[in-house]
Amino acid sequence: MAASSYFNVSRETIDRASLEALQLERLRFTVGQALKTSFYKRRLARAGIDSPDKIRSLDDMLRIPFTTKDDLREAYPQGLLAVPLDDVIRVHTSSGTTGTPTVIHHTRADIVNWTELVARCIVATGAHRGDVFQNMTTYGMFTGGLGLHYGAEAVGMMVIPASSGNTLRQLKLMQDFRTTVVHATPSYMLHIAGVLKQEGIDRASLALRKAFLGAEPYSENTRLKIQQIMDMDVYNSYGLSEMNGPGVAFECEHKNGMHVWEDAYIVEIVDRENLSPLADGDEGEIVFTTLQREATPLLRYRTRDLVSVIPGPCECGRTHRRLGRITGRSDDMLIINGVNVFPSQVETVLMGVKEVGTNYQIVIDKHGELDKLTVDVELYGKAFTGELASLERLRDRIAEQLKASIVIHPVVVLHEPGSLPVSEGKARRVIDRRPKD
Ligand code: AMP
Ligand code: ZN
C-alpha cells in the first residue's frame, strides 16, 4: 500500500504550527458551546471564563477544570446539551451500565465529523473501497457498531452490519460475502480463531486480510498471536463513548502506535496522582477536549485510561501524534468482553438482596478466549439452610438482577456464611485471573 493513501490529506498531514492554530480556534468554539450549557457556565465562571475571548492561547486551557464521568452522570440526560433538542439527530451512551450512563448527543455536523474521523482511521490501515467489511461489534447504544459502520460506508467499503455474537453465522457471512476486513474485540477475534480450528474450517475459504481490534485492552503478544493464527494484519483501535466512540485513535499501516486526531481532540497526558501535565513518552492518564462537537462539548475530560504518547514522527507522514497501548486504568473499572463494569454496580445489586450476607467476590477468568465473570456470594445462615430448589431460584434471581444492571451474564455461586476468604484491611473484591499476555 502506498504511503500516500489518506482520507483527508491536508488535515492528516497538517504541519504542527497550523494544527495548533486550528486547535486554538476550535478550542474557542468549544468553550463558546460549553458556555451554552448550565453545567459549564457555572464551572467556567469559577475559573473566570465567561466568554471564549478569555482563551488567548492553548495554555489558557490549563485554567479550565477537569470534567469527570460523574459530572456527565449528574448531568443526565440533557445537562450538557449545548444545542436545541431539535438539532440533535442521534444519542449514544457508554457501554455496560444500565444505571445512569454517560450520554452524548450529536447534531448532523457531529455525525459528519465523527464519520470522517473513522474514515481516516480505516484508510490509514490501507483498507479501501472494494473491501468487504464485516462489523462484528454490537449495534445499538454502544458506539462501536454505528461508529465504524458510518466510517466504512464513507470509505466506500461494502458493509456487513453483522453485529456481535453467533460465531458460526459470522463465519458463514465471511465465506459467502468474501469478507476482507473485520472489526471486533480482541477476545472475540481470538474466539473466532478457536472456532475456526474446532469446526475444521479451512483458513483458505476466507478472504480476510485485516482486523480492527479495540474496546478493551490487549497486549502486543495477543496481536501477534491473532496475526499468526488468522494470517491477517491487526490494527489497534481506541475510542470511548464520551469522545464519540471509535475514531479517536487508530494505528496506520505501520502498526506502531495509534494516531490520535488532534484537529478533533486536544490530548493531555497528566500524572495519575496529582494531575499535572506530563511530557511525551511519560505514562499517565489521558485527558481529552473535544474541538468540533456542537451538541456535547467536553472540556478536559478525564478518561482514567493510562497511556503514553510515542515521541517522534511516523513514517506514514501523518503529523498527528501516536498513543501507545492503553496499559490500564486509574480507577477500578473492569472491561469484560468489551463491556465496562464497575465493581460498585455488583455490590449495589448484591446488597439489595436480603438473603445475601456481607462477603462476596468477583472473579474474572477466561473460558476459552472469552472472559468469564463469576460472582461468589455468601448467604446469611438462615438463607443457606433452605432447600436446593429454593437456593437455585435465589441464585437465578441474583444472576438476573446482576445481568439487568451490568448487561453481561455472570455465573453466580452461593456460599455458606464465613466460607469466602476474609482479607484483613482493604477487601479484595475483584480477582482478575485473565492472563496479561
Ligand atoms: P466505552 O465508553 O463503552 O466505549 O468504553 C471506552 C473504554 O474502553 C475506554 O475508556 C478504554 O478503557 C477501553 N478501550 C477502548 N479501546 C481500547 C483499546 N484499543 N485498548 C484498551 N482499552 C480500550
Ligand atoms: Zn502512521
Side-chain angles (χ1 to χ4, degrees):
M1 191 82 217
S4 58
S5 186
Y6 305 101
F7 187 79
N8 183 342
V9 63
S10 59
R11 279 281 184 264
E12 292 175 53
T13 61
I14 187 171
D15 66 89
R16 295 294 303 184
S18 307
L19 176 61
E20 283 177 19
L22 186 62
Q23 285 184 323
L24 178 58
E25 180 192 317
R26 290 184 172 176
L27 175 62
R28 287 208 189 100
F29 161 77
T30 300
V31 168
Q33 286 302 103
L35 286 168
K36 294 177 189 165
T37 68
S38 51
F39 170 81
Y40 275 122
K41 207 170 151 71
R42 253 179 292 127
R43 259 284 151 104
L44 291 173
R46 275 192 259 142
I49 300 168
D50 54 7
S51 122
D53 298 340
K54 292 277 162 68
I55 306 289
R56 294 196 188 86
S57 72
L58 285 175
D59 283 345
D60 280 344
M61 75 175 276
L62 297 175
R63 286 167 37 212
I64 300 174
F66 291 105
T67 306
T68 64
K69 214 177 181 70
D70 282 343
D71 290 333
L72 265 67
R73 289 196 175 126
E74 274 162 38
Y76 181 88
Q78 278 154 14
L80 277 160
L81 185 60
V83 298
L85 207 48
D86 280 358
D87 291 341
V88 173
I89 65 163
R90 204 194 302 164
V91 63
H92 276 288
T93 58
S94 52
S95 71
T97 172
T98 52
T100 307
T102 60
V103 183
I104 303 298
H105 294 87
H106 297 278
T107 63
R108 188 169 302 280
D110 290 335
I111 295 290
V112 167
N113 291 332
W114 176 17
T115 298
E116 169 171 339
L117 298 180
V118 177
R120 287 186 200 175
C121 294
I122 293 171
V123 171
T125 68
H128 47 66
R129 179 165 192 255
D131 270 312
V132 177
F133 177 64
Q134 190 162 324
N135 196 8
M136 304 191 289
T137 45
T138 313
Y139 279 64
M141 297 304 270
F142 176 60
T143 54
L146 285 175
L148 253 294
H149 181 102
Y150 274 55
E153 284 188 351
V155 170
M157 304 201 284
M158 179 175 110
V159 181
I160 307 173
S163 200
S164 54
N166 201 341
T167 306
L168 290 178
R169 174 174 154 268
Q170 299 280 9
L171 286 166
K172 184 157 169 35
L173 288 170
M174 284 178 200
Q175 288 173 321
D176 295 351
F177 292 101
R178 308 293 299 151
T179 301
T180 54
V181 180
V182 292
H183 176 222
T185 60
S187 47
Y188 192 58
M189 200 65 229
L190 276 168
H191 176 69
I192 288 188
V195 172
L196 202 67
K197 249 193 206 140
Q198 200 183 303
E199 298 290 316
I201 297 173
D202 185 3
R203 168 66 181 85
S205 71
L206 304 175
L208 294 178
R209 42 182 215 105
K210 288 177 195 294
F212 308 152
L213 304 184
E216 64 188 11
Y218 62 114
S219 64
E220 191 57 34
N221 281 348
T222 299
R223 183 220 301 265
L224 296 175
K225 185 171 168 188
I226 296 172
Q227 293 199 142
Q228 196 229 329
I229 305 177
M230 296 298 293
D231 188 22
M232 69 199 304
D233 285 304
V234 168
Y235 303 85
N236 196 5
S237 157
Y238 169 72
L240 58 158
S241 50
E242 293 82 3
M243 293 298 127
N244 294 342
V248 176
F250 225 82
E251 284 184 322
C252 68
E253 57 204 315
H254 297 283
K255 297 194 275 192
N256 55 4
M258 303 178 283
H259 290 282
V260 51
W261 300 120
E262 294 181 86
D263 58 330
Y265 305 100
I266 291 181
V267 171
E268 297 172 81
I269 307 287
V270 301
D271 184 280
R272 58 184 289 178
E273 303 294 336
N274 65 23
L275 306 182
S276 61
L278 296 177
D280 286 2
D282 291 344
E283 183 177 289
E285 180 178 339
I286 185 163
V287 171
F288 286 104
T289 296
T290 65
L291 289 176
Q292 290 180 294
R293 274 216 314 236
E294 294 179 338
T296 319
L298 289 181
L299 297 167
R300 307 191 82 199
Y301 178 71
R302 286 187 58 187
T303 62
R304 300 295 199 145
D305 288 324
L306 300 175
V307 68
S308 59
V309 167
I310 300 173
C314 180
E315 276 176 70
C316 73
R318 288 176 184 80
T319 47
H320 302 247
R321 288 180 300 168
R322 288 165 296 150
L323 304 179
R325 283 190 186 279
I326 310 295
T327 58
R329 293 190 49 92
S330 67
D331 63 6
D332 58 356
M333 188 180 93
L334 302 163
I335 303 184
I336 303 176
N337 291 324
V339 177
N340 302 349
V341 176
F342 286 93
S344 57
Q345 292 176 276
V346 174
E347 165 147 348
T348 304
V349 169
L350 293 181
M351 294 305 130
V353 178
K354 69 175 190 323
E355 294 88 344
V356 168
T358 50
N359 204 358
Y360 69 93
Q361 234 167 18
I362 298 168
V363 182
I364 311 142
D365 49 22
K366 285 278 182 192
H367 183 73
E369 299 295 351
L370 295 177
D371 298 335
K372 181 177 146 214
L373 171 66
T374 306
V375 181
D376 288 290
V377 185
E378 267 185 24
L379 297 183
Y380 275 126
K382 266 201 200 125
F384 203 78
T385 51
E387 287 168 25
L388 191 60
S390 69
L391 282 176
E392 278 173 358
R393 272 199 304 277
L394 174 61
R395 181 198 62 200
D396 294 347
R397 175 154 57 88
I398 295 173
E400 278 313 308
Q401 287 186 21
L402 283 170
K403 165 93 184 352
S405 170
I406 61 178
V407 181
I408 53 178
H409 214 293
V411 174
V412 172
V413 183
L414 303 180
H415 295 266
E416 278 182 66
S419 57
L420 289 178
V422 185
S423 39
E424 288 171 18
K426 212 167 139 67
R428 196 163 160 241
R429 297 288 191 205
V430 178
I431 298 170
D432 196 339
R433 296 209 184 102
R434 291 175 290 189
K436 292 283 168 263
D437 272 345

